[in-house]
Amino acid sequence: MNIYTFEYLYFGNDGYVARCKLCRHLQLGFICMCLTFNEEDYRAFRMIVHHHYNKADYSFEDYRKYIVVKTPAEGIYFMLTKYEAKRLYEILEEAENESLALSLISLFNQ
C-alpha cells in the first residue's frame, strides 16, 4: 500500500492516528502497540477511552498501570498509567477534531 493513501489525523512523538483514504480504516500507534480499526470499532474504542479517562481514580501513583482499556481485538487490552490514559484521550480528541475539520473542508471543495 502506498504511504500517500493515509491521512494523518494526529502525529506526534507519542503516537499517531491515521486513516486510509481507500478503505477508511483507522490505525492507532501508541506506546508499543499499533492497532487497526474499522470506523465503527474506532468510535467505540474512543468512547471507551473517554469513559475510562473520566472515571480514573487519581489517588493511585503516577507510575502504576491500573487503567485497563479493552480494544475491539479479542484479548487485546491497553494497560495504562494515568498519564498514558490522559495522553491517549488527548490524542484521540485531537484526531477527532482534525477529522471534523477535514470533513468541513471537503464540503467546501465539492
Side-chain angles (χ1 to χ4, degrees):
M1 181 171 278
N2 186 336
I3 192 166
Y4 299 110
T5 62
F6 284 97
E7 59 185 354
Y8 284 89
L9 304 177
Y10 173 83
F11 189 86
N13 291 333
D14 51 357
Y16 68 91
V17 176
R19 179 174 42 218
C20 178
K21 293 179 184 178
L22 302 175
C23 68
R24 309 296 294 167
H25 281 76
L26 292 113
Q27 189 172 81
L28 166 68
F30 184 69
I31 304 178
C32 64
M33 295 188 75
C34 179
L35 299 172
T36 300
F37 302 91
N38 62 38
E39 288 187 78
E40 182 180 335
D41 287 343
Y42 177 78
R43 300 258 178 251
F45 180 74
R46 206 174 133 261
M47 295 306 294
I48 290 168
V49 170
H50 180 77
H51 171 74
H52 281 287
Y53 172 73
N54 287 322
K55 78 167 188 110
D57 181 357
Y58 289 99
S59 64
F60 283 105
E61 297 90 6
D62 288 344
Y63 60 86
R64 181 174 288 174
K65 290 189 180 269
Y66 70 95
I67 301 171
V68 180
V69 179
K70 184 178 181 348
T71 70
E74 183 77 26
I76 305 295
Y77 298 83
F78 274 108
M79 291 189 65
L80 306 169
T81 65
K82 64 183 175 181
Y83 173 76
E84 292 167 341
K86 177 180 184 273
R87 278 306 300 145
L88 180 56
Y89 173 78
E90 291 169 348
I91 287 169
L92 294 174
E93 289 303 302
E94 287 183 43
E96 180 64 14
N97 291 339
E98 182 68 16
S99 179
L100 291 172
L102 290 172
S103 295
L104 288 173
I105 289 170
S106 74
L107 289 175
F108 290 111
N109 289 336
Q110 292 180 356

